[in-house]
Each structure stands twice: as structure tokens, then as C-alpha cells.
Amino acid sequence: MAAPLTLLLIVAVTIRAVLFRSSLAELIPERVEVVSPLNAWKRVVEGLALLDLGVSPYAGDVFHETPLIIYFFHFVIDYAEIVFMMADALTAVALYLAVKDYNKTVFRKQKYALEAERYPLDCLELIRTPKEMYYIPLKVAMFYLLNPFTILSCVAKSTCGLNNAVIALFILCTVKGSSLMSAIFLALATYQSIYPLTLFAPALLYLLQRLYIPVNWQRSSFWLFTTQYAFMYLGSLCVMVCLSFFLLSSWDFLSSVYGFILSVPDLTPNIGLFWYFFAEMFEHFRLFFICVFQINVFFYTIPLSIKLKEHPVFLIFMQIAIISIFKSYPTVGDIALYMAFLPAWNHLYRFLRNIFLVSVVLLACSALFPVLWHLWIYAGSANSNFYYAITLLFNVAQILLVSDYFYAYLRREHHLTHGLYLKRKDGSEATLVLK
Amino acid sequence: MAAHKCNIIMLAFVLCGLTYVFVRADIEDTNHVKDAESGAVDIAPKTNIGASLQSTKTEDQTQAAEEERQWEAETNPADAPSDNKADHVHDTMQHLASRPAPYAKDQTQEAAEEERQWEATEVKEADHVPDTMQTPDVPPPTPAKDQFQEELVIRPLHSGDIYASFQFRTMWDTDFLRGSKVSHYRLFPKSLGQVISKFSVRELHISFTQGYWRTMQWGQPFLPSPPGAELWVWFQDTVTDVDDAWKELTNVLSGIFCASLNFIDSTNTVQPSASFKPLGLGNVTDQRFLRYAVLPREIVCTENLTPWKKLLPCGSKAGLAVLMKSEKLFHSSFHSQALHFRPVCQDWKCKSTVWELRQTLNVVFDLHTSGQGKREWSLFKMFSRTLTEACPLASSSKVYVDVTDNPQGELFELSPTTPLLSQAVVLGDRRTYSVYDLTNQATFGQTRSLNMLLRWRAAESGDMLRPLLHGERYVAGYGLQTGEIHTLMYNNHPYRAFPVLLLDTVPWYLRLYIHTLTVSSKGRDNKPSYIHYQPSKDRLRPHLLEMLVQLPPNSVTEVTVQFERALLKWTEYTPDPNHGFYVGSSVISALVPSVVAMDTNSTRECPLFSSFFPCKEESSYFMRVYTEPLLVNLPTPDFSMPYNVICLTCTVVAVGYGSLYNLLTRTFQVEEPSPGLAKRLANIIRRLRGVPLL
């Protein structure tokens, strides 16, 4: 399996290297779909330039990266292209290994269940075979590396690629069962962009499951481990924040990074829901709606954790997807991360209801983004509503995609306990509904 | 427009104030005029003029030394700002500590002073008593040195247009800083004096300009000003909350001048570190006390001129100010009115300071619109008035006509001729002027009115001396996403290089990327020796970019910087958003090498227009150039859509919420077929009838 992965990495890096050398390398970093005020490379360079001028990068409203990023790029600014290509490769390898390990676990569980004869007899169709699972890790890596969204994001040198690498490493460490490293990478991801905070719950569930500790409020072992993990997480987060403070000896970065993410002052168009909504918002409702919109990201964590407490990896997928839909400055790089997981849910394909429609809408929207942007900004023959309409449609498609996968997952679980061909009382074929 | 521009409350306040001032001023004016007529002129004895003019010169010298020090500080900025700041804080602390604080005693003394003052004013006719308030620690009462001068310079331009520049100077000998309340005003406008003493203003410079000064056609103006309104103020170092004082001051000035200065807020105010040094006395260089703001969109009109004229001691009733008829002044290609308030030396020894108020009005009449295409100008044609008298309160009242290019009268003919000629070094050039002294009755001749006539002989005028320093600015790029600001600075000196300070204030909604800044001259990189950059904060403060660039001789230096256009909230756009947003002019300040030796140590009388900027050395002179303001388009949202957008976006969020909620709260169940509608109805009827159900 190492050979195809190596080949894939070589292909991916070649594509990126070619694009970096082409004329597109000038054009892509200006695309609002690919970079946001939060992760644009132009702004990283600006931050470094401000630092050179002796001005704090956070004195202005252009730079919104964390202090660690400045110091990281302070040393590798000349090798930025390599850094971003490596980040992508690292993400892909981490996802590859994580999915491989996860598949093993899934397969083992399935084997035990089969031996214990817990599955109904007609569910044999739903049982996953090693043959179909064999290529899944490679497909995941391929979905990430060859996804046009990832390639664009990498060529634009959006720091989103680095965040994705951190999250991928976090998933890898969690799946491998290393709670300390998992906590550290989770803290790093949170430090970079608050939202991965919601991944705490699935990581905890997964680690508990791995250690065979049941989620039970009365058990002291549950509380012990939870406290331990939370302590590691908060401790490393605290260390990072303090380190940032000592790097610049000021707390300005808190308001400039996290305040900026949460209060959405920059209304530059992007593929998300926030920009036009808050550009058109009545001033006295602004705070209320900012709270409502931001809560959306964190809101689903608890119910999802309860519903999916047996399936933490799917929960991670759901959380990443929700983050990338409802975050304040989304880019296509965020979408690429959760899309990389889609091959891992190949077996849900037969339960998906509107995958065709959704994929067509996503493709059409991706093509229409640059067209309508051009009409609005350059040609002047369209206005902002055109672009806004496409972002709406794009987000509806994403929501449908995620909820469809969620539906399919739940339905498969239901079939695994109740049998695939359900019968009514009178013996006729039954249909399954949500009630 | 007035209603739009004027803050109603301020207007009411100022109206009350002005009514009071007029009542007082009227009484006093009549007194003064009577005095003047009866020959007992006690305001400004002739013998004083020479001395006071000398003082102007020495003040220039002192300022020159000061300026030199500042320039040095600017050229090695590494250590200067922090030191200054520390020193300054120290100074302030000392000042506060050493100030005596017997408050009650002060009050009683003050009350007594006030009483004395009132008596003094009443018995003024009999005995001339000092007008200024004396603080207890300065016992000997000195005679007031308030005086007023007025002058008009007319410069025929090579393009056939004509440039007229009025300058009025009021000297105010008072000491409002020592905490004493000034309640008596002679020549100085009370409305302004009260404001200045209330806000502890050290220097105040305000200008209102309509039109853009075309340097390449017209040469240099005597006093440059950017299009729109410009205001810069140095506060006294005793002011603790400068921002607060600035905010109140702009609102009060907005009322006084009936202008939209109340739109000056933190988003267009900056504190330049080097470009705007005090022009008057004093060694305050701490930029904490400086505020600078430009409103490039401000439209200047009659309603701004009227309050400006009212600040003159003679109003527009006598003297040169009678020429200011607004329908003529505003029917011109360029109109600029300004007011400069600063401390200057009282005499050549410079032992005490007086406050100088300069009111200037510059206007360029167009050859074709005002002159009907004829190269023939007269006072009457320009202003539709002629001069009949000087302002009785003025110690000097003169009209200068620039005849440098016309020594033998071959270019134009000037009538009536005057025997008086004056030479002045102005803007690095020795100019010759014909002088008409209005205080001399002979000037008016038989007709008792002066109407100068200037008739061009040559249809094609000679070549104009190219201005040594010149600036241009424009926005490059297309589309509404990004853009690039280009600033061009021309050094037309054939062999001398000189440094210039460039100041750029860019509003926050054009996000500058300082790493894209390039400075190049003659195709090569020209690294600025000093850059002061203050990045913007959204909705809080603008970008401030100041740099010191060396301009090579005979070259064009191009400064470019890229920016990104922000999408604003829909309420932040102006009512005509697709007109675009104005960006104020860049300011280029420079010490330009002079062709002729500048006057630095001469104590002889020199006209007002040549003595505004302090001059420190013979070989160079100070010059300020303003570039064009920019008009930049921003992307706009659809203003008619707020409800639609709120509804649609919330629907999408609700779709997300709904589908997840559905999946989270419900479980899968086998669907039990529900009977059809007909069957259900039939069953209801059967139940009523008591028949077994289907």
C-alpha cells in the first residue's frame, strides 16, 4: 500500500508545483472563495512586514493570524511553497493512517458482532468486506490531495492548509489512542481558530471507547479520564496562549484573532452565510444575530454526541462539516477536509437520498462563483445579490449533503439491529420513516 | 445644504454667542471709529509698526532654528519620538507640580480683576488702560499691542487667469494661558478667542477650499491648501484629554464656520509625526498634542464665507474686505479661505509672545468664465467693486501687483501707475511688486476710488518658471476588489536633490498593504530613510503613512501601494454610494533649495504673504504641496434587500437546523399505513350510526 500512496503524493506535489510556477499562482490568492481575511497569505506577509517596521501586527486590522504563525513563518517565509505542499501531504498521510486504523477497528468490531450473532440474518448485504475496505484509506488521501478545493487552497498559500494538517494529526493521534498528543493537537487547532473546540467531545468519546470505559455518570473511571483529558487539553491551550503572550508581550492578539472570528467585523464576501447577512443587518439586531449565528456551530455538539456516542469518528466528521458550514469566514479549504472523509462512508451509498442532486448543485455553484464574482466586481453588470444567491445555494447543498450522510448512517445502524427487509404486521413490505 | 451641514445645537449656541459679540463689538467699533476720525488713534501708533515688523522677522529666525532642530530630529527618527515623549511627560508633571494651587485666593483675585476690568472699559475714553488681563504675578501693566494689517496680492498668471490673495493679520496681545479669563476683546474676534481659550489651543489652522490648485499652470500658491476642509490643531501641553478637546473643538468650529467639521471623528483624524510641525513659537514637538483631519468632500460656499468675514475687525464694510462679494468669489476656478492662529514673538527680542490670527483668502479667476476670454483684468471686473478706503482699524493696508515679469511694461500695462515698488523673496524667487498704499489718500486719486486695470499687451505670455516641487496622485487598477495608489513627486531642480516628507492618510475601508509599498525614481529603487506607518483599525482610525524620501535632481519619484476595497455595512455608505468615496490629498512637505538667497536675518519690512512659513536658512525654503484627492469606488450591497437577505439567510440556517433536529430527535419506525380520507370519513359516519367499522 505504500507504493500507491507515494505515487499519489508525487502526483499531488507535481500538480501543485506546476501551478505555483504558472500564471494562475497570481490569480488564485485573490479569489475570495479560496482565501478569507483570516487566512490569506497576503495578510501573513503584511503581518511580517509590519513586524519589520516595528509596528505590532495586531495594531491594524489586516493581520488576524496567531502569534505562533508569525513566528513560524518568520523563519520559513522563503520556503512557504514547500511548507504548504508539505502540510497538504502531511494531512493526507495522517488521514490515510487514521482511516486505516479506524477501518481495522470497525472490522474487528464487526467480526465480534458476527461471531456473537448480533446482526439479523438478512443484513449480510450490509456487512463490510475487507476487499471493499482495502482501498478506502488510499481513496481518502486521494480525495484530499486531488480535490480541486485543496489544490486551490494550497496554491493560494492559505493557512487553512496548516489548520487542516493540525486537525488531521489530531484525528490520527486520537484514533491511535494517544490521549496526550490528541489533546495537544486539539489545543493547537483550537488555538488557531476556536471552532475545533467542539471536537473535544468526539475525541473524548473515542478515547473512552478505546479504553473500554463506559460513558456512565456514576463511574469514577469515566470522570477520572475525562478530567485527565480536559486537563491535558486546557493545559496545552494555556501554554500556547501564554507562549504567544511572551512572543509579543501583549494580549492584543486575543481580540485581534478570536474577537475578529467571533464578532465578524470584516464583511469581505466569501462562500459563507455571514458576510451579506451582516452587511444588510439592522444595527440594533447585530449583536443578537451574531450570537445566534455563532451558537450554531457549538449548538449541535451535545445532541450529536448523545446520538452518536457509539460512533465518535463519524461524530468528528459531522462536527468538522458543521464547522465548515457555519464558521464565520469559511473557505473551500475547510470544505475539502470534511469531503476527504466521504470515501470512508462508502458503505452508506445505498441509503443516500439525494446525492446526485447535491453533487450537481455543488459542482454548478463552484463554477458559478467566479462567473458571478466577475459580473459583480469587474463587469458591473450584476450586483451583490447574484453572488449572494450562489453562496446560499452552495450552503444549502452542503447542509443537504451532511444531513443526508447523517440520515444514511443512522438508517444503516437501524437496519443492523432490526434487519434490512422490514415487514409490516400483515406481512407486506414496510417503509421506514422518521417519527 | 446649510441645514444638512450645520449641527443645529451648535448653531443655536453660536447664534447666541454671536449676538452677544455683535452687541459688544458694535459699541466698541463706534468708539474706535470715533477715535480714529478725531485723530486720537491710540490703537496702533505708527511708531510701533516698524518694531512689530521687526519682531516678525526675529520670530522667523527663532522659528527657523526650531525648524532646523525638528528636521534633524526627523532625519534620525530612531531615538527621537520616545525621548520626546518621555521628556514631555516629565515636563507636564513638573508643570502640574509647580503650579500654585490656592484656589480660593485665585478666585477672589479674579473677581477683583474682573471688577477693575469693567471699570477700566468704562473710563477708557479718558484714560487708556491696558485691555489685557494681567495675572497677579505680572504686575506692570503693559500697553496692548493689538494691531491689524491687511493686504491683497494680485498675480497675473501666464495662462491668462488671475490670482488674488487676501491676507489679514490680527495680533492679539493677551495671555489667556495663565488661567485668567479674558473678557475684553478689541480687534481680535471674540467668538474665536473664547473658543481658543476654552480649549487651550496653541495653534489652529483651518482651510476651506473649492477647486484644485493647478501647480503646473499657476505656479505655487502663497499658502497651499487641499481641496475640501482641512483642520490641524496643536493643543497646549496642559490639555489632559486631547481627543475629547478635539471632538468638542471640531463641533464648535463647525458651528462657527457653518461647515461640516462635525464629521471629523476618529476615523479621519491622525497624528502626523513629522509633517505638521508648529509654525509658531514653542518647542512642543510631541505629536500627542497634534490632531490633523481633512474632509475632502466638503463643499465650500457663501455660508462659510460670511462667518469668516465676520471675524475681521472691519467686517466687510471697509477696507479690502469690501471686495469679497460671494457671487464673484465663487464664480472662479479656485477658491480657498483659511484661518491660521499661532503664537509669535511680540518684538525682535522675543521676550513675550502675542497671538497672531491670519485670515487668508485665495481666489483664481478664470480667463474664460470670469474674464470673457479677454486678457484684461480690473478690480471691478474681478470683484464687481472698487476700493475706496482702507479699514480704519488697520495699521497697514496695501495692494501688491506682481510685476516681476514685466519690468518695462512689455507684457502688460498697469494703470493707475504707482511709484512704489517693493521686492520680496517669496517661494525661492525674488519678485517685484507695485505697491498701492491704501492708507495714503493720494492712492485713490481724483475719483476717490481705486480700480486697477491690468491689460495684457502680448497675446502669448512668456515661459513660466517651472515649480521645483510638484505632486500628482491617481488610483490604478480596475474592478472593485483591489487597487493601487500611485503618488508621483516631481523634482524639477536641475542639479540639486532634496528630501521630502510624504504624508498619506487613507480611510480604513481601503485596506493598505504596506508590504506592497514601492518607491522608485529613475527606474531604480529609492528606499525611504524614514517610514512611520500606523495601520488602520476598522471603523476606528485611518491609515497613516509618513515617509522621508530623497528626490534625485530632475526626476520623478513614484510611490505605489496596493489596497483592498472593503464591503461596508449598508448603513455606512453615503447617500450616493456609487459616486465613490473621497480620499484626502497627500501632503508633501519639503525644504526646497532656493534659487536666490532667502531673507533670514533682514529686519526690514516685508509683506505678509512672504512671511508665513518660518525660514531658517538662506539656501532653502519650506514648501508644502497637496496632491489631488482621490475618488474611489467600493463594492456595494443591494440597499433594497435587508429584509430579503435576513429572511433568506435565516431560512438556510433553519434548513440546517431543521434537518439536524429531525434526525437527532426522531427514530426510525416502520410506517403503518394510514387509511385513506374516504375510508376515514366513512368510518366516522359508521361510528355515528353505530354500525361496525370498515
Side-chain angles (χ1 to χ4, degrees):
Chain A
M1 276 301 280
L5 182 65
T6 319
L7 191 68
L8 175 66
L9 287 175
I10 290 171
V11 170
V13 168
T14 316
I15 293 174
R16 285 161 172 75
V18 168
L19 282 176
F20 270 128
R21 297 281 164 275
S22 72
S23 58
L24 287 174
E26 299 284 311
L27 185 74
I28 294 171
E30 299 286 327
R31 304 294 322 162
V32 285
E33 299 87 5
V34 183
V35 296
S36 72
L38 214 51
N39 56 24
W41 177 247
K42 206 174 166 184
R43 297 186 183 235
V44 176
V45 177
E46 177 73 7
L48 289 169
L50 286 177
L51 211 59
D52 284 345
L53 280 176
V55 183
S56 160
Y58 301 109
D61 250 345
V62 166
F63 185 77
H64 303 287
E65 300 283 353
T66 51
L68 288 185
I69 286 279
I70 311 182
Y71 272 81
F72 177 64
F73 280 111
H74 193 65
F75 297 111
V76 298
I77 183 85
D78 298 332
Y79 313 104
E81 294 178 3
I82 298 171
V83 166
F84 282 103
M85 288 195 282
M86 274 170 57
D88 270 9
L90 189 67
T91 315
V93 172
L95 289 178
Y96 174 87
L97 295 175
V99 171
K100 201 171 172 183
D101 212 68
Y102 169 66
N103 274 349
K104 268 185 209 155
T105 326
V106 168
F107 191 71
R108 204 181 321 126
K109 267 193 201 159
Q110 187 179 283
K111 209 170 90 184
Y112 291 147
L114 275 176
E115 280 166 5
E117 294 189 346
R118 256 188 270 141
Y119 292 142
L121 284 176
D122 58 354
C123 278
L124 281 176
E125 285 177 50
L126 296 180
I127 302 300
R128 306 177 70 187
T129 60
K131 195 179 155 212
E132 58 134 349
M133 285 166 84
Y134 183 73
Y135 284 109
I136 283 177
L138 190 66
K139 278 189 201 163
V140 167
M142 196 189 283
F143 247 65
Y144 187 75
L145 282 178
L146 301 185
N147 188 341
F149 288 165
T150 325
I151 296 174
L152 287 177
S153 191
C154 179
V155 175
K157 294 192 256 184
S158 153
T159 53
C160 177
L162 301 183
N163 295 357
N164 285 353
V166 172
I167 293 175
L169 286 173
F170 152 73
I171 295 169
L172 177 64
C173 295
T174 314
V175 170
K176 291 275 182 196
S178 153
S179 54
L180 176 66
M181 292 308 285
S182 154
I184 290 175
F185 280 115
L186 181 58
L188 196 58
T190 315
Y191 167 78
Q192 282 286 70
S193 62
I194 305 185
Y195 294 119
L197 172 70
T198 57
L199 296 176
F200 181 83
L204 181 66
L205 286 173
Y206 190 90
L207 291 169
L208 285 170
Q209 204 179 65
R210 227 187 124 91
L211 296 169
Y212 304 106
I213 301 170
V215 183
N216 187 335
W217 308 102
Q218 266 94 47
R219 296 283 283 272
S220 63
S221 57
F222 166 75
W223 284 112
L224 188 70
F225 186 77
T226 309
T227 326
Q228 201 184 338
Y229 189 65
F231 184 76
M232 286 189 284
Y233 169 64
L234 292 176
S236 35
L237 193 60
C238 194
V239 167
M240 281 167 209
V241 171
C242 293
L243 191 64
S244 316
F245 171 73
F246 291 119
L247 284 178
L248 292 175
S249 43
S250 95
W251 291 111
D252 287 349
F253 74 93
L254 287 181
S255 62
S256 201
V257 178
Y258 307 120
F260 183 78
I261 293 174
L262 293 176
S263 65
V264 205
D266 190 325
L267 302 171
T268 310
N270 57 37
I271 56 171
L273 294 169
F274 280 69
W275 64 277
Y276 206 53
F277 187 71
F278 287 105
E280 296 267 8
M281 178 49 65
F282 298 100
E283 204 53 45
H284 46 284
F285 291 129
R286 181 172 301 273
L287 184 64
F288 169 73
F289 274 106
I290 280 181
C291 295
V292 169
F293 272 52
Q294 295 286 7
I295 282 172
N296 247 309
V297 180
F298 303 99
F299 183 70
Y300 301 108
T301 311
I302 292 171
L304 277 176
S305 312
I306 294 168
K307 189 89 176 178
L308 292 171
K309 66 171 184 282
E310 302 298 324
H311 313 282
V313 175
F314 189 74
L315 180 55
I316 289 181
F317 162 76
M318 285 297 293
Q319 282 295 349
I320 294 177
I322 286 172
I323 289 173
S324 77
I325 296 169
F326 292 115
K327 75 190 289 193
S328 42
Y329 302 99
T331 58
V332 291
D334 299 301
I335 294 165
L337 182 64
Y338 82 80
M339 280 197 170
F341 277 93
L342 296 184
W345 323 120
N346 253 348
H347 54 287
L348 303 180
Y349 188 75
R350 62 183 293 164
F351 298 116
L352 293 177
R353 290 170 298 183
N354 37 23
I355 185 72
F356 176 72
L357 178 75
V358 167
S359 29
V360 168
V361 170
L362 284 178
L363 282 176
C365 287
S366 312
L368 279 175
F369 273 130
V371 173
L372 294 178
W373 179 258
H374 180 86
L375 289 185
W376 173 26
I377 296 295
Y378 293 101
S381 51
N383 68 7
S384 46
N385 295 340
F386 288 67
Y387 193 78
Y388 164 67
I390 288 303
T391 62
L392 276 189
L393 200 56
F394 190 71
N395 280 295
V396 169
Q398 283 194 75
I399 289 168
L400 289 181
L401 180 75
V402 172
S403 59
D404 214 14
Y405 268 93
F406 189 29
Y407 169 85
Y409 199 90
L410 293 178
R411 179 145 179 200
R412 181 173 175 272
E413 291 306 311
H414 185 263
H415 282 307
L416 281 178
T417 45
H418 295 93
L420 186 56
Y421 300 107
L422 299 171
K423 295 266 176 351
R424 272 194 222 133
K425 280 173 216 151
D426 56 357
S428 59
E429 202 174 300
T431 47
L432 210 53
V433 289
L434 277 170
K435 265 188 182 169
Chain B
M1 185 160 46
H4 161 69
K5 286 164 89 176
C6 296
N7 182 326
I8 294 169
I9 302 165
M10 286 321 304
L11 196 62
F13 165 72
V14 169
L15 277 178
C16 296
L18 284 179
T19 327
Y20 176 67
V21 170
F22 289 149
V23 172
R24 290 287 315 272
D26 271 356
I27 299 165
E28 277 168 24
D29 273 0
T30 34
N31 286 348
H32 289 313
V33 173
K34 257 185 217 162
D35 283 357
E37 277 169 357
S38 64
V41 184
D42 60 347
I43 306 149
K46 294 273 186 223
T47 45
N48 272 3
I49 300 174
S52 67
L53 283 165
Q54 276 177 358
S55 81
T56 327
K57 275 291 129 192
T58 25
E59 139 219 329
D60 281 354
Q61 263 175 285
T62 342
Q63 283 158 14
E66 171 61 24
E67 190 86 341
E68 186 167 13
R69 209 172 59 73
Q70 284 160 19
W71 272 88
E72 275 164 15
E74 287 150 22
T75 36
N76 3 307
D79 48 1
S82 56
D83 283 358
N84 276 350
K85 211 167 265 179
D87 280 352
H88 194 85
V89 172
H90 188 68
D91 282 357
T92 321
M93 298 288 279
Q94 269 191 339
H95 188 89
L96 287 175
S98 62
R99 186 196 284 175
Y103 182 66
K105 194 181 152 204
D106 262 16
Q107 250 187 346
T108 42
Q109 273 178 349
E110 215 169 271
E113 276 306 305
E114 194 117 276
E115 217 173 274
R116 198 167 63 84
Q117 190 64 46
W118 278 107
E119 283 167 14
T121 320
E122 277 158 19
V123 296
K124 196 176 157 211
E125 296 243 353
D127 183 14
H128 184 70
V129 183
D131 300 290
T132 47
M133 237 347 182
Q134 298 301 326
T135 40
D137 53 326
V138 187
T142 48
K145 298 245 172 64
D146 282 18
Q147 56 159 306
F148 176 66
Q149 288 169 277
E150 56 178 9
E151 71 176 40
L152 164 66
V153 190
I154 291 173
R155 192 208 282 173
L157 301 170
H158 289 269
S159 55
D161 304 341
I162 196 152
Y163 171 36
S165 169
F166 293 87
Q167 290 222 14
F168 303 91
R169 179 158 89 156
T170 314
M171 303 293 264
W172 187 25
D173 184 13
T174 182
D175 202 356
F176 62 79
L177 293 178
R178 300 275 173 86
S180 59
K181 218 171 129 209
V182 182
S183 57
H184 184 68
Y185 291 84
R186 297 178 73 226
L187 299 175
F188 198 85
K190 184 168 180 179
S191 58
L192 198 64
Q194 283 175 330
V195 170
I196 279 168
S197 53
K198 175 160 193 283
F199 295 105
S200 304
V201 172
R202 176 169 199 90
E203 274 196 24
L204 184 145
H205 304 267
I206 185 168
S207 75
F208 298 97
T209 307
Q210 186 72 33
Y212 178 67
W213 182 269
R214 294 174 181 84
T215 315
M216 290 313 277
Q217 279 181 39
W218 298 340
Q220 290 297 335
F222 296 119
L223 271 175
S225 58
E230 184 198 42
L231 174 65
W232 56 286
V233 175
W234 278 93
F235 289 94
Q236 301 285 354
D237 49 13
T238 49
V239 178
T240 46
D241 190 348
V242 181
D243 286 316
D244 207 40
W246 168 249
K247 193 173 181 324
E248 276 189 57
L249 178 66
T250 51
N251 279 289
V252 171
L253 289 176
S254 163
I256 290 182
F257 292 104
C258 219
S260 2
L261 297 174
N262 53 324
F263 285 121
I264 292 177
D265 53 14
S266 66
T267 61
N268 47 25
T269 302
V270 289
Q271 302 172 37
S273 67
S275 294
F276 287 89
K277 289 296 170 195
L279 292 177
L281 286 177
N283 49 5
V284 189
T285 48
D286 189 345
Q287 78 220 42
R288 279 188 307 147
F289 299 103
L290 169 66
R291 290 294 181 279
Y292 173 81
V294 179
L295 295 175
R297 209 190 166 133
E298 178 74 11
I299 290 163
V300 186
C301 205
T302 322
E303 78 234 26
N304 307 111
L305 182 67
T306 312
W308 184 89
K309 280 197 290 198
K310 283 184 179 159
L311 299 177
L312 296 170
C314 291
S316 52
K317 295 188 177 60
L320 292 173
V322 294
L323 298 179
M324 291 176 192
K325 221 180 151 195
S326 48
E327 63 262 41
K328 279 291 183 184
L329 288 185
F330 290 103
H331 190 238
S332 57
S333 358
F334 177 84
H335 170 94
S336 168
Q337 60 187 71
L339 185 149
H340 303 274
F341 174 80
R342 60 176 180 178
V344 293
C345 286
Q346 189 172 38
D347 48 26
W348 62 275
K349 280 187 224 148
C350 207
K351 276 190 178 154
S352 61
T353 58
V354 288
W355 301 93
E356 180 203 68
L357 174 71
R358 261 182 209 245
Q359 286 177 260
T360 66
L361 190 141
N362 295 302
V363 63
V364 175
F365 292 103
D366 189 82
L367 170 69
H368 299 286
T369 57
S370 312
Q372 285 106 36
K374 278 187 227 154
R375 293 176 155 254
E376 187 180 306
W377 294 100
S378 66
L379 279 188
F380 190 78
K381 195 169 171 186
M382 287 189 270
F383 303 105
S384 67
R385 294 276 168 89
T386 56
L387 287 171
T388 50
E389 57 169 345
C391 170
L393 301 173
S395 59
S396 100
S397 175
K398 285 177 180 155
V399 179
Y400 294 85
V401 181
D402 191 338
V403 292
T404 318
D405 305 326
N406 190 32
Q408 267 81 50
E410 70 270 21
L411 265 184
F412 52 80
E413 175 190 359
L414 184 65
S415 66
T417 51
T418 169
L420 278 174
L421 277 181
S422 155
Q423 275 209 338
V425 177
V426 56
L427 298 165
D429 198 6
R430 191 175 297 282
R431 314 290 295 181
T432 316
Y433 295 92
S434 294
V435 185
Y436 298 85
D437 191 351
L438 300 190
T439 48
N440 183 358
Q441 277 302 316
T443 314
F444 298 105
Q446 301 277 305
T447 51
R448 301 221 163 257
S449 90
L450 177 64
N451 181 22
M452 266 166 280
L453 187 70
L454 208 149
R455 189 179 290 123
W456 286 82
R457 287 218 173 110
E460 206 39 54
S461 51
D463 283 337
M464 190 189 65
L465 189 69
R466 271 202 305 174
L468 291 182
L469 177 64
H470 169 55
E472 279 174 12
R473 193 155 72 138
Y474 59 90
V475 173
Y478 64 100
L480 298 176
Q481 192 178 3
T482 54
E484 196 168 40
I485 298 178
H486 288 243
T487 311
L488 303 177
M489 293 181 287
Y490 294 83
N491 176 1
N492 290 331
H493 201 288
Y495 53 87
R496 283 281 298 274
F498 56 86
V500 297
L501 263 170
L502 175 70
L503 170 83
D504 248 325
T505 317
V506 180
W508 66 267
Y509 38 79
L510 305 183
R511 299 204 171 87
L512 286 191
Y513 286 94
I514 196 69
H515 72 269
T516 60
L517 177 77
T518 60
V519 184
S520 63
S521 10
K522 293 185 169 170
R524 259 181 301 162
D525 214 28
N526 181 356
K527 203 177 174 317
S529 48
Y530 165 63
I531 294 184
H532 173 237
Y533 178 63
Q534 188 195 40
S536 69
K537 273 275 184 201
D538 284 7
R539 299 170 182 91
L540 264 183
R541 63 159 198 241
H543 301 270
L544 169 70
L545 176 60
E546 266 185 301
M547 52 188 162
L548 188 67
V549 188
Q550 183 83 11
L551 302 187
N554 202 9
S555 69
V556 187
T557 302
E558 187 171 26
V559 179
T560 64
V561 61
Q562 288 176 14
F563 65 89
E564 199 174 272
R565 301 161 206 244
L567 182 76
L568 309 183
K569 296 173 188 168
W570 70 308
T571 46
E572 287 170 336
Y573 287 90
T574 48
D576 50 351
N578 291 310
H579 174 73
F581 287 73
Y582 284 91
V583 180
S585 311
S586 308
V587 188
I588 305 168
S589 322
L591 281 178
V592 180
S594 172
V595 182
V596 294
M598 297 295 293
D599 277 344
T600 51
N601 51 358
S602 142
T603 49
R604 74 190 166 81
E605 179 179 339
C606 77
L608 293 180
F609 60 85
S610 66
S611 65
F612 185 68
F613 286 117
C615 181
K616 57 137 187 171
E617 56 183 30
E618 288 195 348
S619 61
S620 62
Y621 60 99
F622 181 78
M623 192 158 131
R624 191 166 277 156
V625 174
Y626 291 92
T627 65
E628 299 93 334
L630 299 176
L631 183 59
V632 183
N633 268 314
L634 295 186
T636 51
D638 186 338
F639 296 99
S640 59
M641 289 260 296
Y643 288 103
N644 303 1
V645 169
I646 291 169
C647 292
L648 289 170
T649 310
C650 285
T651 307
V652 171
V653 173
V655 166
Y657 175 79
S659 49
L660 284 173
Y661 178 82
N662 224 356
L663 291 162
L664 284 168
T665 52
R666 301 190 184 188
T667 53
F668 285 102
Q669 280 174 11
V670 173
E671 187 190 37
E672 289 301 327
S674 65
L677 184 66
K679 204 173 177 183
R680 266 188 280 170
L681 281 174
N683 276 338
I684 291 168
I685 298 164
R686 277 169 170 254
R687 197 178 287 134
L688 290 173
R689 284 168 61 201
V691 185
L693 301 182
L694 275 177

